[in-house]
Amino acid sequence: MPAERSRRGGRRTRPLAGPVGGVVLVALLLGLVGWSVATLQPPAAVPATAPATQFSADRAFAHVQQLATRVHVAGSDADAANVESLVATLTRLGLDTRVQNSVGAWGSAPGSTEMARVRNVVAVLPGTHPTGRLFLMAHHDSVQNGPGASDDSAGVSTLLETVRALKAGPRLRNDVVVVLTDAEEACLCGAEAFASAHPLAEGGGVVLNVEARGTTGPPILFETSRGNADLAAAFAAAAPHPVATSFAVEVYRALPNDTDFSVMLKDGFTGLNTAFIDGAAAYHTRNDVPERLDRRSLQALGDNTLAMARQLGDRDLSPLKKPAAGDATYFPVLGTLVHYPGRLIWPLAIAAALAVLGFALALRARGISSLPRTLGGAALALLPLVLAPLAAQALWWLLVVIRPGYAPMLDPWQPGWYRLATVAVVAAVVLLWYALLRRRIGPATLAVGALVWLAVLGGVLAALAPGGSYLAAWPALAGGVTGLIATLTPSRGVAAVAALVTGAVATVVLAPAVALFFPALGLRTGAAAAFFATLLALALLPAFEFLFPRPEHAGRRTGWAAAAVPGTAVVLAVVCVAAGLAVDRLGPDRPVPSQLAYALDTDTGHAWWASTETKPGAYTALYVDGRTPLPVDYPYLAGADLATGPARAADLPAPEVTPISDEVLGGHRYISVQVRSRRPGVRLIAIDLTASGGRIVGARLVGESVPATALGGSRLRVTFHAPGTDGVQAMFTVDGNGPVSLRAIDGSDGLSGLPGFAPRPAGIEAAGTHSSDLVLVSATTSLGRPPKG
Ligand SMILES: [Zn+2]
């Protein structure tokens, strides 16, 4: 803006003359970026000596240490021991505590479902005059190849410490029900069994679910029930560390991920789902140990959970038990949570568009830029919007070339420097584009051109993902209004204040989003965080303009001065990449993940190695050499894009199928079998039933009906987790006269001892997937045609 104005000979004051003023202006805004990101960070851990009514991360951590000493996957002895210890702890705290023994089923689709034998720990803290139930949920099982310190012993321990603190304070009005679910990792089946069959689940209620998808970072309220306005307001009022954005809710709703909370939502509960998600490299691996859990994350999670439990525990829950009229928009601003009703989203987006239009018209009125020229500026602004995220993504690809071990990872072990480098790359692209065009096109035209896209995005998001519209609408509104004022009041001072205000609004809105996008989608999808960083950089253009030499000083030396601005960002990017490479060296402490499974078909004696790595790493590639699909459908592997290779057949017995009864009654064929594993440590038994030319119309496993959505076809696949030593008793109802066959598959964990398997060298560890190191053994049993009779 100053460039064109001075061309018109406007009055020039010099409060911010020269590059020093520009540096101060940009430094103020970068300071605000730092402040915005810093206020997201969790607080220091509170020691165990803190007053009893307070949440202490150190006290909670003692529970983590006890629960996460070893792998405690659903159905294991270790998990059973944890269940006993959880019951003892909650009982000692004075809660009426029971174990719900049940079978849950979830994930049903035509022809398939997942089921599990579950043991949920359910404890009640009765209220004085209940208006409803508040459910505090976390899952007590871990994955099969890690002790689950963060996921989700941290959540369970947070709830133990929370109810201890609640008991130390005055009694609450509402019932508080602690639900520590089983088999979340396997199939969310513990939550399903609770929601569908537990008497305390009748009538619904409000759920606070606590989770982790990493070992550090702020706990983020990332998912809510629909119609979240009232709950968001409650969270904003009560949570001492309110890190939440309504955009996360939109993103999460679009992703295929699930937690126990998904089950509760489907059953009509309302509530909030919180997780800390940074430090994803250790997630679901043997490195998810207590020592890696950041106690500050635990403290923030506990502070929020305790405050929310006190608030929701004492107010009338009746309105919160059902969805509010709409969703709210909310986002963190310097340590608080700004929130307003969703009905303001469209007015705000329209106001932003009008403000940008007003800015464009003012430029036209002042003869600075015609409307076609403004549209040209908008077209040019597409360049950084596309190129900067691409460059950020290219940085990750470059890092993978330098460190091939990064290829299968969502995020490196210590991504901090790389994230800074990504932001510097974005700044370099935007500033280079700006430096090349500002003299020819004009700073104001480029600024308004960028704002056009912010305004457009505000509208597009309002239509498609309303909770995210604020990210573009507020910066567009601020940029439009301040640009309009600065255009109509030509003075370098006004321009500086306008740049500061619009930069500040964009910063407090967008900087936290960038900081939260990095861990959420990882550097592997670095373009996502980079896109929002690009929006921020574009909104900061009026401030960056003050760093560039003024046109009336044009000369050879100013060319160098202009190049210095993007040049600084390039240097910063290079320095940050170098620092990241130095800090994040891969090795035994920071291993490379390797995903490998083994499958044996005893019908044919054939065996295979299989990996879900898209481009198998050096170690995995010792076992897999092609992409030939497996001829048999195995749990976790069926339908996956697999790298495979031949393996030697191990001397492992397939599960034993014992027919119990087979009869025809009223036109239906009823088949009953017992499927039992003959191997120790089996985590799952899968049943794959085929009725040639017929239909499977009913099925029960361990007394629990298979959901109707899975039935009706000629084939039924059920993966049954935590089967126990007796195995699975299954009953099927089949229509049709064709032959029936049953393929039984069992799965255990650990590849050592298999023929041809060499243990992974130091620095390579089993990847954090549910199929890592899984050993699957299958056999087919013919159940023949229906008996005559
Ligand atoms: Zn979890």
Side-chain angles (χ1 to χ4, degrees):
M1 289 164 268
E4 288 98 343
R5 258 197 310 283
S6 51
R7 204 185 310 133
R8 288 174 47 84
R11 189 174 62 87
R12 265 181 267 138
T13 51
R14 309 192 58 191
L16 275 159
V20 176
V23 169
V24 169
L25 183 58
V26 170
L28 278 175
L29 289 169
L30 291 184
L32 188 60
V33 170
W35 185 14
S36 292
V37 175
T39 51
L40 299 175
Q41 303 314 310
V46 169
T49 50
T53 50
Q54 250 184 293
F55 185 97
S56 155
D58 285 4
R59 285 192 287 246
F61 188 71
H63 293 300
V64 176
Q65 282 178 305
Q66 201 206 336
L67 294 168
T69 50
R70 52 189 169 146
V71 170
H72 50 281
V73 68
S76 65
D77 291 347
D79 197 49
N82 276 2
V83 165
E84 296 313 312
S85 125
L86 291 169
V87 170
T89 305
L90 286 162
T91 306
R92 204 164 51 238
L93 287 170
L95 279 74
D96 179 10
T97 310
R98 318 269 169 102
V99 174
Q100 181 198 10
N101 283 292
S102 188
V103 173
W106 185 252
S108 298
S112 72
T113 192
E114 307 261 336
M115 298 176 83
R117 207 191 285 266
V118 297
R119 301 187 74 210
N120 296 325
V121 177
V122 182
V124 183
L125 191 58
T128 51
H129 302 90
T131 59
R133 295 193 184 109
L134 173 66
F135 297 91
L136 304 180
M137 284 187 88
H139 64 88
H140 66 69
D141 61 310
S142 75
V143 286
Q144 83 285 1
N145 58 344
S150 294
D151 178 17
D152 189 19
S153 300
V156 169
S157 302
T158 294
L159 298 189
L160 294 179
E161 170 65 2
T162 296
V163 289
R164 188 209 54 70
L166 287 178
K167 282 288 284 185
R171 266 186 80 182
L172 298 173
R173 177 179 176 187
N174 298 317
D175 293 341
V176 176
V177 184
V178 178
V179 187
L180 306 178
T181 62
D182 196 357
E184 192 271 353
E185 300 292 359
C187 52
L188 316 179
C189 289
E192 195 281 333
F194 177 79
S196 67
H198 200 286
L200 285 170
E202 266 169 46
V206 181
V207 178
L208 300 179
N209 190 53
V210 285
E211 263 283 7
R213 199 226 51 195
T215 57
T216 183
I220 302 166
L221 165 60
F222 68 98
E223 189 186 13
T224 69
S225 44
R226 283 186 192 274
N228 62 27
D230 296 341
L231 282 167
F235 182 77
H241 316 288
V243 179
T245 149
S246 42
F247 191 43
V249 174
E250 304 281 4
V251 173
Y252 194 80
R253 279 176 189 163
L255 293 175
N257 304 353
D258 278 312
T259 67
D260 280 344
F261 193 68
S262 320
V263 179
M264 304 306 283
L265 291 188
K266 193 144 180 281
D267 275 51
F269 290 75
T270 61
L272 306 174
N273 197 4
T274 303
F276 51 91
I277 61 171
D278 210 348
Y283 174 60
H284 281 177
T285 75
R286 63 177 276 180
N287 282 298
D288 186 8
V289 288
E291 302 80 73
R292 289 198 193 241
L293 167 61
D294 187 342
R295 290 189 212 189
R296 294 171 305 168
S297 302
L298 198 57
Q299 186 63 47
L301 186 63
D303 285 344
N304 284 355
T305 308
L306 178 58
M308 285 300 285
R310 286 212 172 104
Q311 211 223 33
L312 299 180
D314 251 349
R315 61 185 275 180
D316 183 3
L317 274 187
S318 340
L320 292 174
K321 280 190 293 189
K322 31 187 209 294
D327 282 335
T329 285
Y330 51 88
F331 49 95
V333 172
L334 302 176
T336 62
L337 194 73
V338 169
H339 64 101
Y340 49 84
R343 63 174 181 275
L344 295 181
I345 291 170
W346 270 113
L348 186 68
I350 291 167
L354 291 176
V356 174
L357 181 65
F359 183 11
L361 291 175
L363 291 174
R364 177 167 171 262
R366 289 266 157 183
I368 297 170
S369 184
S370 65
L371 285 183
R373 202 173 160 81
T374 296
L375 286 177
L380 288 169
L382 267 181
L383 284 171
L385 278 169
V386 172
L387 294 180
L390 262 182
Q393 195 59 50
L395 172 65
W396 173 248
W397 296 330
L398 176 71
L399 289 173
V400 171
V401 170
I402 298 171
R403 293 256 160 95
Y406 285 161
M409 301 177 76
L410 178 76
D411 240 349
W413 285 94
Q414 277 162 297
W417 285 108
Y418 297 139
R419 290 176 186 167
L420 281 178
T422 306
V423 171
V425 164
V426 166
V429 172
V430 171
L431 291 172
L432 188 65
W433 163 82
Y434 189 65
L436 289 172
L437 293 176
R438 61 182 275 281
R439 296 283 300 279
R440 238 163 295 168
I441 310 296
T445 306
L446 292 177
V448 76
L451 288 176
V452 166
W453 290 112
L454 280 161
V456 167
L457 190 62
V460 169
L461 285 170
L464 300 179
S469 175
Y470 79 93
L471 286 163
W474 279 111
L477 180 62
V481 169
T482 59
L484 177 70
I485 292 170
T487 307
L488 299 179
T489 325
S491 119
R492 200 160 160 85
V494 171
V497 172
L500 189 64
V501 169
T502 187
V505 169
T507 297
V508 296
V509 168
L510 282 163
V514 174
L516 297 177
F517 251 105
F518 271 121
L521 297 180
L523 281 173
R524 188 165 73 191
T525 325
F531 176 72
F532 291 96
T534 309
L535 295 183
L536 176 55
L538 289 174
L540 291 175
L541 285 179
F544 285 129
E545 169 58 25
F546 281 86
L547 292 176
F548 286 90
R550 296 164 67 177
E552 61 267 33
H553 304 144
R556 200 143 51 89
R557 283 180 50 207
T558 56
W560 284 105
V565 183
T568 307
V570 171
V571 170
L572 213 64
V574 173
V575 169
C576 289
V577 167
L581 287 169
V583 166
D584 194 53
R585 286 180 197 284
L586 297 174
D589 267 7
R590 290 186 280 269
V592 173
S594 146
Q595 202 283 342
L596 194 62
Y598 175 91
L600 168 67
D601 180 14
T602 61
D603 295 345
T604 60
H606 288 145
W608 306 270
W609 298 108
S611 174
T612 53
E613 288 175 46
T614 22
K615 215 175 147 244
Y619 173 83
T620 311
L622 297 174
Y623 300 88
V624 293
D625 55 10
R627 303 204 82 84
T628 316
L630 302 185
V632 174
D633 280 343
Y634 289 98
Y636 292 115
L637 304 180
D641 182 18
L642 292 177
T644 54
R648 272 158 57 201
D651 184 19
L652 295 174
E656 176 183 51
V657 176
T658 313
I660 297 172
S661 63
D662 190 351
E663 52 195 350
V664 176
L665 277 171
H668 295 308
R669 179 180 178 189
Y670 296 90
I671 305 169
S672 177
V673 296
Q674 182 78 25
V675 184
R676 195 183 282 117
S677 177
R678 289 181 281 188
R679 304 192 291 132
V682 156
R683 162 159 69 98
L684 60 88
I685 289 178
I687 285 170
D688 187 344
L689 190 79
T690 304
S692 301
R695 291 187 337 126
I696 301 159
V697 295
R700 286 172 80 80
L701 272 74
V702 195
E704 183 70 25
S705 296
V706 166
T709 40
L711 301 170
S714 62
R715 190 175 173 199
L716 173 68
R717 291 186 290 156
V718 184
T719 303
F720 194 97
H721 303 266
T725 45
D726 292 346
V728 173
Q729 190 183 344
M731 286 184 282
F732 306 102
T733 311
V734 178
D735 286 359
N737 293 319
V740 171
S741 72
L742 189 160
R743 173 175 280 128
I745 306 162
D746 61 8
S748 62
D749 300 302
L751 303 174
S752 52
L754 290 174
F757 178 75
R760 295 183 174 89
I764 298 178
E765 295 276 11
T769 73
H770 296 301
S771 55
S772 266
D773 285 18
L774 186 58
V775 178
L776 297 152
V777 183
S778 66
T780 308
T781 302
S782 168
L783 299 172
R785 290 178 180 276
K788 301 269 183 289

